[in-house]
């Protein structure tokens, strides 16, 4: 994959036990119990990779 963009991977562990279906709001796929850490990591990635101006 020559010329492909660099990608970062973040693995998050922990959280609370699921209280809903696997893909619903209160499940591991929704970062239940670690929402702040997930949002902080996502926001950091976006701000670090944003293209500013021409």
């Amino acid at each position: 994959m020559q010329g492909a963009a660099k990608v970062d991977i973040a693995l998050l562990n922990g959280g609370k036990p699921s209280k809903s279906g696997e893909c619903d709001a209160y499940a591991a796929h929704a970062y239940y119990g670690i929402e702040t850490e997930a949002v902080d990591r996502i926001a950091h990635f976006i701000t670090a990779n944003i293209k500013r101006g021409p």
Side-chain angles (χ1 to χ4, degrees), residues 15-41:
K16 296 178 181 177
S18 294
K19 292 172 71 177
S20 64
E22 290 182 7
C23 294
D24 294 327
Y26 297 105
H29 290 173
Y31 306 104
Y32 184 54
I34 55 172
E35 299 92 342
T36 300
E37 181 182 0
V39 169
D40 288 348
R41 294 258 188 120

Side-chain angles (χ1 to χ4, degrees), residues 39-51:
V39 169
D40 288 348
R41 294 258 188 120
I42 294 166
H44 180 267
F45 176 83
I46 291 169
T47 56
N49 292 282
I50 195 166
K51 306 282 189 232

